[in-house]
Amino acid sequence: MQNTHSPASNSTKRKRRRYGKGRIVLAIVKLAVLLGLIGLFIAGGVVVGYVASLVKDEPVRTYAEYHQKIFSNYLTGFVYYSDGSLIGQLRAEEDRRLVKIPDVSPYLINAIIATEDRNFYTHHGVSFQSTLRAAYQELTHQTVVTGGSTLTQQLIKRTILGTEVTHARKAKEIFNALRLERMFTKDQILEAYINEIYLGKNANGSNIYGVQAAAKGIFNKEVKDLDLAEASYIAGLPQSPSAYSPFTTEGFKRGKERQKIVLQSMLEAGKITQQEYEQALAVDLETRLAKPTKLAYSELPFLMMEIEERASKALVDSELAEQGRDKETVGNNEYQQLVEEKRREILRNGYKIYTTINKDANRIMQDIAADPKNFGKNRTYTIRRSNGKTEKIENALEETGAMLIQNKTGAILGMIGGRDFNVEQTNHATVPRQPGSAMKPLAAYAPAFELGLLQPGSPIDDSPLVLSDGQNGTHTPLNWDNKYHGIMSTREALRQSWNVPAIKTYLKVGITTALEYVKKMGVTTLVDSDNHAATGVIGGLAYGLTAEEITNAYATFANRGTFIDAYMIDRIEDSEGKVIYKHQIQPVPVFSEQTSYLITDMMRTVVNSGTGAHVRNYVPRSVDIAGKTGTTNSSNDLWFVGYTPELSMGVWVGFDEPYPMPDADKYFPMMIWGKVMKEIVDTIPSLSPPDAKFEKPDGIVSLTVDSKSGLLPSELSKQTGHLITDLFNRQFIPTKTDDGHQKAKIVQYNGQRYLAKEGTPDDFVSEGIFYRGPEPIVDSPEVVKTTTARPPDWEQRLPSQEDPRVEVSGTPAAPSAVKATTSGNNVVLTWKSGGEADLLGYRLYRAGTDQSFVKIATIKDPAALSYTDTGAASAGYGYYLTAVDVTGQESSPSEVVSAGSTIEWQSPAQPVLGEQPAQSPEQQTEQSHFEQQVPSPPTGLSVSKSAGGMSLNWNSNAAADEVITYNVYYAPNPSEGFLLLGSVTDTSYFFDGVSSGQFYITAVNQIGESSPSAYAALSAE
């Protein structure tokens, strides 16, 4: 077949096909573009709609509103005393000075722009490229998200919107930045930024805002004089001022890394050369850092700084409450940031702060704190840090902190923050220190009274207590004199501040329960570990208490058991006089009126005749005072917290770096307290009238109880004189009669006391009236070995177990190897025992030249193998011994021995079992306890003045009285009754902290207590 198509026609067809395909491709492209545009319009509409929803509530601000927010100058604020008089103006610190751009180093301007916003002079307030990049990174959850804010946006954030991180805030930030750029020049915006930006803290620890403050506070230079190295370091701070702080080792190291980034940015932007870059990095900036300088705040720096802090927190707390936010749910970092923002607001907006501070009372406190005569000398010492390294502390100032609070309102009337703000800026009234024994009323005795576990006259056994040390071991807490003192009243335990009774009470209440009471009284420094520390009641806490909080807690007692939180800021007004904050008192019931009065009355005793009596050297006894001392281990912290019916004040004294206070300084807290309160009572009686008294509420009764059991007295209680009269809450008076006293016969064996078996010979027992203690006494070998474990009343305790020795058949063997030797004017006898398991002891017989032997001694301890016959060396006596078992069987006599006698001694006849030979007159002291009477009154009592107190001395009773202990009684005023100060085994006693009063002594044996000695007194000079 012939081909009818020519080449030309084929070419035309191919062109037609290509043209058709091209049109299709073009159509597809056009369609894609169209769809893309439609998509963009839709997406844009969504974005625009979303952004519009975010900013719909944002006001459209005028030029004047922006100017006021961003460029307004600071308005001076003022602080006022409680009477409305001026304390002073709020600080306008050097680190807040404004500066103009021409007065700023060009290096710093270039560094800020190159690092924070390189396109500052070309954009219109927002860098959309940076914003989109940051948004993309956030949407894709990238780990490193770059900032998208321009300098204009940062300025809006800091001055108008705040730092909340939300899409709404970001949208509003962009919206405002665009408007701001249309209203102000670039230089105006930059100038506002460099004066507003936060740059951390200066060498003194104060916050710095703006580049002039940073230049002065970090390098001690004017900002115009900064060189490239200094400027580049400061320009790196805005990203994280705290992290890059040059005044910490790690901060400076991080700051140098940040400086390198700043210099790199300047190099890339063409603002510096490579040579300048390298030279700036090589500069040793650490040697250029500013040194701390004396802070020129005002005449009352501690007070002014505290007012700023409290006013800021008051405004923050008020705003959080208005927003319905629980303060406890706000993170610490966020809260501190809010407080700092409020502080800046207070310092710049012309606020007027009206405080509770009493001008005259505060002046009294400041004058006493400023007088070096009220403190010890500066000290140099070495401490060991927690990392094991030692550090020498040179010329340390003995510091103090104190707080004065009005009981009924909680108003803080005065404060001592420290001795010299230029030396140490820590406010010692508001930082925690270990409270020592000042915790005892708060955590032990008041909760115990409230729960009905104790009353002032209730007995507590000051005897060994074994505690876990938290590390699979044990420890035995001791009193401050390293002794135990036996059963005593709760009042006496607090008066002398004995530790062991307080710990026992704390454990009886329950640590968690006790600390819940403490928290109700406003203490905020307790942590979970405190719930596991049995010694927390004597100051062994994780952090301790502040002077403010412990004073506030004590004020609860003065305020009849109701806690009222202490406050310093009464109200705050803005620059136009509008009240923007007003304090509201919120009472919190903690204890009953009865508990509060009983604790107060016990602490009266502490002040009048106990460890707090030194206060009475300054405040007369006519002024009603209650209070408690506090001393930590090694005397690192010294306290006195006390109150009148109207005022409470706590005083702490110690070193900033804990170190033992000298003994000579132990009265300083009481001295400071006494001097302040005396002058207030004398010169401002309206604050604390000198004749005001603590009012006794209904329900308080006086009752006599058995002093060993706390129950109603029995006949045996009365026979032994174990009676005490004290105050009780009527709700908790005892209704049972004492059954703890008992007539008994006691023997000793292996150092322990036991009830004698029936048939035990009378001369081997101690017979009398004994009593059961409120708890079993810890008398383990471990405790006895490591402490003076047995209290002075140990011999008066009724044992709980019978003599464990079991009868062995037969008569015991006679002592062997008996020897008699002279030692001076005495004869010393020694022997060996037969070692029978039921051996009770020995009887010693003696005869003169007539060889008529009589028993002169009973040796009650079978382990004793010697005896000294005093004054017998020249008499030429002959001696023999017999052994006696628990059934009373007596051995045959030992051989007769003598020391130097030439007489030929006859072997004695076997003693008649169960009978004792007739005794010569000089042996009458061997009468049994059953025939013994109470001791004679001690004689020869004398009182003399001694350093810091009074020394008492008296004659020892006759041996026949078998005195176990002497009781010392004292009364500031005998018409008000005598108080038991303590019990001693010797014939002297030292009573510190007083210079007047009357005393008497009684002697105590197994039968009971003697009548009083003659009174002795030393009048005040």
Side-chain angles (χ1 to χ4, degrees):
M1 180 181 288
Q2 185 179 1
N3 187 0
T4 59
H5 297 288
S6 66
S9 67
N10 289 336
S11 175
T12 299
K13 288 180 179 180
R14 285 195 299 272
K15 287 181 179 179
R16 189 178 294 116
R17 285 196 299 268
R18 285 197 301 269
Y19 177 72
K21 291 179 179 178
R23 283 193 303 170
I24 293 172
V25 170
L26 179 61
I28 291 173
V29 169
K30 287 180 178 180
L31 179 60
V33 170
L34 178 61
L35 291 174
L37 290 173
I38 291 171
L40 286 174
F41 280 118
I42 293 173
V46 171
V47 171
V48 170
Y50 177 63
V51 171
S53 70
L54 294 177
V55 301
K56 64 183 178 64
D57 296 327
E58 180 67 5
V60 180
R61 294 178 176 83
T62 64
Y63 175 91
E65 289 174 322
Y66 278 122
H67 195 281
Q68 192 277 330
K69 288 279 187 181
I70 297 172
F71 299 101
S72 61
N73 293 324
Y74 294 92
L75 296 176
T76 301
F78 297 91
V79 179
Y80 301 89
Y81 286 112
S82 58
D83 63 358
S85 60
L86 183 67
I87 297 178
Q89 69 180 47
L90 288 167
R91 61 190 172 105
E93 292 177 299
E94 182 181 85
D95 58 10
R96 288 183 175 273
R97 288 188 298 185
L98 301 178
V99 68
K100 299 293 185 182
I101 287 180
D103 297 323
V104 179
S105 166
Y107 289 122
L108 184 55
I109 296 294
N110 289 333
I112 290 173
I113 293 175
T115 307
E116 297 292 328
D117 190 0
R118 192 174 300 181
N119 298 317
F120 174 70
Y121 280 106
T122 59
H123 64 61
H124 297 290
V126 178
S127 173
F128 289 104
Q129 179 181 354
S130 298
T131 301
L132 290 173
R133 181 179 65 248
Y136 174 75
Q137 291 171 335
E138 180 183 351
L139 288 171
T140 56
H141 304 291
Q142 296 186 21
T143 55
V144 178
V145 179
T146 57
S149 296
T150 63
L151 291 183
T152 310
Q153 289 174 267
Q154 292 182 46
L155 181 62
I156 291 294
K157 179 172 64 176
R158 294 180 181 279
T159 59
I160 296 176
L161 298 179
T163 58
E164 182 185 12
V165 182
T166 63
H167 291 161
R169 201 270 301 155
K170 193 68 177 179
K172 293 174 183 178
E173 177 186 299
I174 294 172
F175 172 78
N176 281 282
L178 292 171
R179 284 186 56 78
L180 194 70
E181 288 268 350
R182 292 200 298 269
M183 294 181 179
F184 299 95
T185 67
K186 288 288 186 180
D187 281 352
Q188 285 178 309
I189 293 171
L190 179 61
E191 186 171 286
Y193 176 84
I194 64 175
N195 281 312
E196 182 63 31
I197 189 170
Y198 176 62
L199 293 165
K201 296 183 182 292
N202 62 21
N204 288 323
S206 298
N207 291 304
I208 48 180
Y209 295 88
V211 295
Q212 171 68 359
K216 289 290 290 181
I218 296 174
F219 295 113
N220 196 27
K221 278 188 171 184
E222 297 295 325
V223 69
K224 63 183 177 63
D225 298 326
L226 294 176
D227 62 20
L228 177 58
E230 296 158 343
S232 58
Y233 191 96
I234 289 177
L237 292 174
Q239 185 186 67
S240 184
S242 298
Y244 300 142
S245 171
F247 298 108
T248 66
T249 302
E250 288 300 317
F252 182 74
K253 182 179 178 181
R254 289 190 291 262
K256 285 291 292 180
E257 291 297 319
R258 178 65 178 165
Q259 178 200 27
K260 187 175 181 180
I261 295 173
V262 173
L263 290 169
Q264 184 65 39
S265 297
M266 294 180 73
L267 182 63
E268 293 172 357
K271 298 299 182 181
I272 59 173
T273 66
Q274 183 68 33
Q275 182 180 6
E276 288 176 311
Y277 170 87
E278 294 171 355
Q279 288 175 344
L281 278 180
V283 172
D284 183 4
L285 288 179
E286 195 165 13
T287 60
R288 298 187 182 184
L289 293 177
K291 301 296 187 293
T293 59
K294 290 186 177 181
L295 302 178
Y297 289 162
S298 64
E299 186 181 357
L300 300 168
F302 288 108
L303 180 62
M304 293 298 288
M305 293 302 294
E306 190 66 21
I307 289 170
E308 285 183 17
E309 179 78 5
R310 288 173 183 258
S312 303
K313 289 181 176 179
L315 291 177
V316 169
D317 294 348
S318 179
E319 285 193 4
L320 289 175
E322 290 176 2
Q323 297 167 5
R325 295 183 67 186
D326 184 353
K327 179 181 174 181
E328 299 301 320
T329 65
V330 179
N332 185 61
N333 290 338
E334 181 186 358
Y335 187 78
Q336 291 304 318
Q337 183 177 354
L338 292 173
V339 170
E340 284 305 314
E341 289 174 359
K342 282 300 177 185
R343 187 195 298 272
R344 291 169 54 209
E345 181 182 312
I346 286 170
L347 294 178
R348 70 188 299 177
N349 289 345
Y351 287 175
K352 295 179 180 178
I353 303 174
Y354 293 87
T355 74
T356 60
I357 301 298
N358 181 282
K359 182 178 182 179
D360 296 327
N362 195 66
R363 175 193 53 78
I364 291 169
M365 297 177 75
Q366 303 312 311
D367 289 347
I368 289 173
D371 188 351
K373 294 178 182 178
N374 294 324
F375 302 91
K377 63 182 181 180
N378 293 4
R379 296 190 177 270
T380 297
Y381 52 91
T382 300
I383 62 172
R384 185 175 296 277
R385 297 293 186 188
S386 58
N387 60 8
K389 294 183 178 180
T390 58
E391 180 179 341
K392 188 175 184 180
I393 307 298
E394 296 194 27
N395 204 34
L397 196 67
E398 200 172 82
E399 279 289 4
T400 186
M403 196 69 83
L404 178 68
I405 297 175
Q406 189 174 52
N407 298 329
K408 291 180 175 60
T409 65
I412 296 173
L413 305 183
M415 180 188 80
I416 297 175
R419 292 180 59 193
D420 189 340
F421 192 79
N422 294 321
V423 173
E424 175 57 51
Q425 290 79 49
T426 299
N427 186 342
H428 298 92
T430 60
V431 295
R433 295 292 294 237
Q434 292 297 341
S437 295
M439 273 293 284
K440 292 172 183 175
L442 303 176
Y445 298 122
F449 286 6
E450 188 71 7
L451 297 172
L453 301 176
L454 291 176
Q455 294 287 279
S458 300
I460 306 178
D461 197 354
D462 182 15
S463 61
L465 172 68
V466 178
L467 300 174
S468 169
D469 64 1
Q471 299 177 351
N472 302 319
T474 61
H475 73 103
T476 305
L478 296 172
N479 293 307
W480 50 262
D481 64 350
N482 296 320
K483 298 178 181 178
Y484 296 100
H485 306 88
I487 297 174
M488 63 181 64
S489 69
T490 304
R491 182 184 295 273
E492 177 64 11
L494 184 64
R495 186 186 72 83
Q496 288 284 51
S497 196
W498 301 126
N499 293 333
V500 176
I503 295 173
K504 288 185 175 181
T505 303
Y506 191 47
L507 297 177
K508 180 181 288 189
V509 171
I511 297 177
T512 303
T513 300
L515 293 184
E516 284 302 316
Y517 279 105
V518 176
K519 291 175 184 177
K520 284 183 181 180
M521 290 184 277
V523 174
T524 62
T525 52
L526 301 176
V527 295
D528 183 64
S529 62
D530 293 327
N531 289 313
H532 310 286
T535 55
V537 72
I538 58 174
L541 300 168
Y543 297 105
L545 275 69
T546 69
E548 176 183 351
E549 290 190 349
I550 198 170
T551 304
N552 206 179
Y554 270 63
T556 303
F557 301 134
N559 205 38
R560 295 174 172 264
T562 297
F563 169 73
I564 297 178
D565 200 12
Y567 70 103
M568 186 180 289
I569 308 302
D570 181 56
R571 73 181 190 277
I572 303 173
E573 297 178 357
D574 65 16
S575 59
E576 296 180 356
K578 178 184 176 182
V579 176
I580 58 176
Y581 171 81
K582 182 71 173 75
H583 178 76
Q584 300 294 328
I585 295 175
Q586 297 178 331
V588 178
V590 181
F591 298 113
S592 68
E593 291 186 22
Q594 291 75 23
T595 290
S596 299
Y597 182 80
L598 293 175
I599 286 291
T600 294
D601 192 64
M602 290 211 321
M603 287 196 281
R604 275 173 166 160
T605 306
V606 172
V607 170
N608 290 331
S609 62
T611 57
H614 192 78
V615 167
R616 287 302 187 190
N617 291 338
Y618 306 94
V619 183
R621 293 185 178 275
S622 58
V623 178
D624 209 356
I625 294 172
K628 182 70 185 73
T629 53
T631 305
T632 58
N633 286 344
S634 302
S635 299
N636 288 346
D637 301 277
L638 302 178
W639 292 84
F640 183 76
V641 189
Y643 52 95
T644 69
E646 302 295 334
L647 302 177
S648 293
M649 183 166 64
V651 179
W652 167 86
V653 176
F655 294 103
D656 281 308
E657 295 290 351
Y659 185 74
M661 292 285 290
D663 286 342
D665 300 352
K666 67 179 181 179
Y667 295 121
F668 283 179
M670 286 181 274
M671 177 183 67
I672 293 170
W673 196 99
K675 286 185 175 183
V676 170
M677 197 59 69
K678 174 67 164 60
E679 192 164 349
I680 287 176
V681 169
D682 288 348
T683 62
I684 326 172
S686 60
L687 288 183
S688 187
D691 57 351
K693 303 296 180 184
F694 295 109
E695 296 182 8
K696 186 188 332 183
D698 293 338
I700 298 295
V701 297
S702 179
L703 186 69
T704 298
V705 297
D706 181 278
S707 62
K708 306 304 179 182
S709 67
L711 301 176
L712 298 176
S714 65
E715 287 304 315
L716 291 180
S717 301
K718 297 172 183 177
Q719 287 183 39
T720 55
H722 293 160
L723 305 174
I724 188 171
T725 301
D726 213 322
L727 300 179
F728 285 77
N729 182 342
R730 186 188 299 276
Q731 182 182 354
F732 300 120
I733 60 174
T735 56
K736 296 181 179 179
T737 300
D738 168 67
D739 59 357
H741 284 77
Q742 182 177 321
K743 289 182 178 180
K745 296 180 179 181
I746 309 298
V747 295
Q748 290 197 31
Y749 174 58
N750 286 341
Q752 304 293 320
R753 300 169 64 251
Y754 297 97
L755 294 170
K757 289 178 179 291
E758 188 174 354
T760 301
D762 287 344
D763 59 332
F764 281 89
V765 303
S766 297
E767 186 171 1
I769 301 173
F770 302 89
Y771 55 83
R772 286 190 295 269
E775 59 193 51
I777 191 167
V778 177
D779 201 22
S780 67
E782 177 187 359
V783 172
V784 172
K785 182 175 68 174
T786 57
T787 67
T788 52
R790 291 172 177 170
D793 61 355
W794 188 80
E795 296 284 347
Q796 302 175 50
R797 307 288 185 101
L798 182 68
S800 59
Q801 297 179 340
E802 188 180 64
D803 187 347
R805 288 170 287 193
V806 179
E807 178 185 358
V808 176
S809 62
T811 303
S816 61
V818 181
K819 295 181 181 179
T821 58
T822 58
S823 176
N825 197 33
N826 305 324
V827 174
V828 178
L829 293 109
T830 61
W831 62 92
K832 290 183 179 180
S833 170
E836 291 86 352
D838 64 345
L839 192 61
L840 191 61
Y842 312 93
R843 291 182 179 133
L844 176 64
Y845 296 86
R846 186 180 74 183
T849 55
D850 60 358
Q851 300 204 29
S852 296
F853 284 94
V854 293
K855 181 171 75 72
I856 65 167
T858 299
I859 295 92
K860 300 177 181 180
D861 184 358
L865 299 175
S866 67
Y867 181 85
T868 300
D869 190 11
T870 58
S874 60
Y877 291 130
Y879 302 88
Y880 74 84
L881 289 106
T882 60
V884 182
D885 67 16
V886 293
T887 64
Q889 294 187 92
E890 188 171 10
S891 74
S892 60
S894 71
E895 62 178 314
V896 178
V897 296
S898 65
S901 173
T902 59
I903 297 175
E904 185 176 340
W905 298 97
Q906 300 295 320
S907 296
Q910 173 72 31
V912 179
L913 296 182
E915 296 183 5
Q916 297 184 21
Q919 296 180 336
S920 60
E922 66 266 23
Q923 312 307 322
Q924 294 304 310
T925 56
E926 292 297 317
Q927 294 295 325
S928 73
H929 286 276
F930 184 76
E931 298 170 343
Q932 185 185 349
Q933 302 298 319
V934 296
S936 303
T939 60
L941 175 61
S942 64
V943 182
S944 60
K945 207 162 192 178
S946 184
M950 288 190 278
S951 293
L952 284 71
N953 293 276
W954 59 94
N955 298 328
S956 177
N957 276 46
D961 282 340
E962 294 195 5
V963 172
I964 297 170
T965 186
Y966 294 97
N967 289 339
V968 183
Y969 292 86
Y970 167 73
N973 182 354
S975 64
E976 297 178 356
F978 281 79
L979 298 167
L980 176 64
L981 292 182
S983 299
V984 295
T985 55
D986 54 14
T987 56
S988 64
Y989 187 83
F990 177 74
F991 186 33
D992 62 349
V994 300
S995 57
S996 64
Q998 293 196 14
F999 300 84
Y1000 71 79
I1001 311 295
T1002 61
V1004 180
N1005 64 11
Q1006 299 287 0
I1007 301 303
E1009 186 174 14
S1010 73
S1011 56
S1013 69
Y1015 290 0
L1018 181 67
S1019 300
E1021 296 178 358

